[in-house]
Amino acid sequence: MDGEEPQQSGVTGTTRRVTAQRQQMRQDLAAAAMELFANQGYEETTVDQIAAAAGVARRTFFRYFRSKEEAIFPDHDDTLVRVADLLAGADPAEHPLDVVCRGIKEVLRMYAATPGVSVARYRLIRQVPTLREREIAVVARYERLFTRYLLGRFDTAGESSGGWERGVGDDAMLAEVSAAAVVAAHNHVLRRWLRSGGRGEVEPQLDHAFEVIRRTFWGNAASGAPARGVAPGAISGTAATLGSAVESAVSATPTGEVLITVARTDAPLDEVLQSIRAALGVPSGM
C-alpha cells in the first residue's frame, strides 16, 4: 500500500497541472479576444486573429471554445460546476435559501476577481446583441440549477401537510420565484458595480440584497432555520401591496382591458409599485 501512495499523488499532481494549463489557455484566448474586440470591433474580429494573437493555431482555439462569442465567458463552465458542488455538499440543516445565496456569491467572486476584464466585457456585451443573448443563456443555467436544488430540498423535507407533489402547490412556485429572485438580485448588484467601473466592495451590497429577499419571501430565514415553506405574514408591506395591485390588474372580466406598464430593471420596488398604481388609476395612498 505504501508503494501506491506516491503514484496516486503523482496522478493527482498531473491532473492538477493539466487543469491549470487548460484554464490558463482559456484565459489567454479570452484575453486576446477581448483586446481584439475592443480595438477593432466584435464583428470585424475572426477566430484566426484571436488564435494568432494568443500564439496558437486555429484548431487549438476550437479545442477550448466552440465560437468566438463563447470566448467572452471563459469562466462560467468551471464556476457552474463549482456552484453545483457547493449545493450538493451543503449541510441539510442549513436553510436552502442561504445555500443558494452562497452559490450565487461564487459567480460574483468570479467577476470581482478581475474587475478590469469584467468591466470591459460588460461594456462590450451592451454593444453586441449576440453577446447579450449569450449572457441571458448563461444566467438561465444558474437559475435552473438553483431551482432544481430548492425543489429537491422541498421534496425531502417531508413537512408539507398532506404530502408534497412535484409541480403542485406552492412549493414549486416558491422554488422558482426564490431562484429567480436570487439571480436577479445578483445581476442588479453586479451591473451597478460594473457601471461604476468595478470600484468598491461588492459583496456587502449583495448581502443586503439577500436580506431583502429573505424578508420578502421567507420571513426570518437564517442558517439552521426550518428548510421549508413561507413564514406566515412574510410577504407583507410593499410586496403584499404590489401583489394586490398585480392581482387587480389581471383579474378576469369579459370586457376587461390589457394593461402594460414599463419600469427600469434597476428601479426600486417602490417606484415599480407606483408606476403600476398610476397605470391602474389607484390613489397613491392606498
Side-chain angles (χ1 to χ4, degrees):
M1 294 294 291
D2 291 342
E4 293 179 1
E5 290 182 2
Q7 181 180 2
Q8 184 178 3
S9 177
V11 171
T12 302
T14 301
T15 301
R16 288 176 179 170
R17 283 195 299 273
V18 170
T19 300
Q21 291 169 357
R22 178 176 177 79
Q23 290 175 340
Q24 185 60 54
M25 178 54 68
R26 286 174 64 88
Q27 293 293 338
D28 290 346
L29 287 167
M34 282 295 302
E35 185 174 356
L36 287 169
F37 294 157
N39 291 336
Q40 64 186 37
Y42 173 78
E43 297 295 345
E44 291 74 19
T45 299
T46 66
V47 168
D48 287 334
Q49 291 173 330
I50 296 172
V56 299
R58 173 188 173 90
R59 64 178 178 276
T60 300
F61 176 92
F62 285 111
R63 283 206 294 265
Y64 293 91
F65 300 109
R66 288 169 292 186
S67 65
K68 65 178 184 180
E69 71 182 46
E70 195 173 278
I72 295 294
F73 307 95
D75 301 320
H76 277 295
D77 286 344
D78 292 335
T79 303
L80 191 71
V81 171
R82 191 162 62 250
V83 173
D85 289 342
L86 183 152
L87 299 180
D91 186 343
E94 185 177 6
H95 195 285
L97 187 66
D98 290 333
V99 178
V100 169
C101 289
R102 286 200 294 115
I104 200 68
K105 264 193 175 183
E106 291 295 313
V107 184
L108 184 74
R109 288 167 181 161
M110 177 196 72
Y111 285 96
T114 54
V117 173
S118 296
V119 170
R121 178 166 55 189
Y122 171 70
R123 291 171 178 167
L124 179 65
I125 289 172
R126 292 182 66 190
Q127 299 170 3
V128 183
T130 302
L131 297 181
R132 286 201 298 272
E133 293 170 5
R134 176 71 182 179
E135 182 185 40
I136 291 170
V138 167
V139 169
R141 295 168 67 190
Y142 292 107
E143 189 170 324
R144 287 194 298 270
L145 179 64
F146 294 142
T147 299
R148 285 197 301 270
Y149 169 76
L150 291 172
L151 286 172
R153 287 292 299 271
F154 290 145
D155 201 16
T156 58
E159 296 180 18
S160 299
S161 61
W164 181 83
E165 297 179 30
R166 185 173 299 279
V168 177
D170 292 340
D171 289 312
M173 178 274 293
L174 183 60
E176 292 189 14
V177 169
S178 297
V182 167
V183 171
H186 165 269
N187 293 344
H188 174 84
V189 169
L190 174 63
R191 287 167 184 162
R192 184 169 57 189
W193 178 73
L194 292 171
R195 286 195 294 268
S196 74
R199 294 185 294 270
E201 294 294 326
V202 68
E203 279 197 38
Q205 300 176 44
L206 190 58
D207 288 335
H208 172 72
F210 290 159
E211 287 304 319
V212 173
I213 292 173
R214 289 186 183 97
R215 290 195 304 268
T216 302
F217 294 106
W218 295 75
N220 296 320
S223 297
R228 154 102 200 33
V230 182
I235 303 179
S236 58
T238 301
T241 307
L242 176 60
S244 177
V246 173
E247 183 178 358
S248 298
V250 300
S251 294
T253 61
T255 58
E257 298 179 350
V258 175
L259 168 71
I260 297 176
T261 184
V262 179
R264 290 177 56 88
T265 57
D266 56 355
L269 184 58
D270 288 342
E271 290 184 12
V272 177
L273 175 59
Q274 188 172 354
S275 70
I276 294 175
R277 283 172 171 158
L280 292 172
V282 177
S284 58
M286 294 183 65

